[in-house]
Amino acid sequence: MRSLSIIFKTAKLTTLLLAITLFLPVVCKAQNGTDISPVIDHIAITTGNLKKSTEFYTKVLHLKKVDNPFADTVHQWYSLGNNVKLHVIQAERKEKQVKGIHLCFTVSSVKEFAKTLDQMNIPYSNWKGDSKEPTYRADGVLQLYFQDPDGYWIEINSPAKK
């Protein structure tokens, strides 16, 4: 019964993240919500160690910190571009992360980014998890995956060659 509950929670979260992913490119162009058409403001995740996560997101992903509206030591905010922010919150964590639920960032060269991960001793792999060699999606986008200090999955990809 417990595993059925976990499956339903994962399915709900996956559906929510899929909906955000599908509509993010459309809504980010407008940047102004209306009464009936919202735009994304931020994505929130929790961390067991805010100091470690802050170091990861600033040194590995080079995200830029933005103002913390709470002005405290248990929240950190980053710009994700297009007026979208990442909100990292210090909190107790127990859930296990699945690769299908991930943040994705685009770089000009996945292979060059992988060199940085190697230098920082951050493990990474392709989607299957059987090799460090990046793989191509069906649309020609090159990708690899790794995890942040709390186990959140991150995809790094580079555009398909034209």
Side-chain angles (χ1 to χ4, degrees):
M1 196 63 163
R2 181 180 162 98
S3 21
L4 191 56
S5 172
I6 291 170
I7 290 169
F8 282 124
K9 285 180 184 176
T10 301
K12 285 180 186 176
L13 184 56
T14 301
T15 303
L16 174 63
L17 288 174
L18 180 60
I20 289 171
T21 303
L22 291 173
F23 292 108
L24 183 60
V26 174
V27 296
C28 281
K29 289 180 183 172
Q31 290 302 313
N32 292 316
T34 66
D35 290 342
I36 59 169
S37 180
V39 297
I40 190 161
D41 180 75
H42 71 273
I43 298 165
I45 61 173
T46 57
T47 179
N49 184 326
L50 188 60
K51 184 177 179 180
K52 190 184 265 189
S53 286
T54 299
E55 183 176 340
F56 177 86
Y57 284 101
T58 56
K59 291 186 178 178
V60 177
L61 292 174
H62 302 280
L63 296 184
K64 303 291 182 218
K65 294 179 184 178
V66 295
D67 289 337
N68 174 0
F70 299 101
D72 61 16
T73 58
V74 295
H75 298 91
Q76 182 60 61
W77 292 76
Y78 299 95
S79 172
L80 295 177
N82 294 320
N83 293 327
V84 177
K85 295 172 280 302
L86 175 65
H87 180 193
V88 183
I89 307 163
Q90 175 78 39
E92 186 175 328
R93 295 186 34 83
K94 294 182 182 175
E95 68 275 359
K96 183 179 183 214
Q97 302 304 316
V98 294
K99 195 181 280 187
I101 301 172
H102 59 268
L103 295 172
C104 180
F105 298 92
T106 297
V107 295
S108 57
S109 171
V110 167
K111 291 183 179 189
E112 286 301 313
F113 190 88
K115 290 178 185 176
T116 301
L117 295 176
D118 284 331
Q119 291 169 352
M120 299 177 104
N121 295 314
I122 297 173
Y124 61 92
S125 67
N126 58 24
W127 174 258
K128 289 181 182 178
D130 61 3
S131 170
K132 289 176 77 173
E133 189 63 32
T135 52
Y136 287 96
R137 289 190 326 216
D139 60 359
V141 171
L142 190 63
Q143 60 186 9
L144 61 79
Y145 295 82
F146 59 99
Q147 291 178 283
D148 83 351
D150 290 288
Y152 286 104
W153 283 97
I154 298 172
E155 173 186 342
I156 292 292
N157 70 30
S158 54
K161 293 181 181 171
K162 297 183 183 201

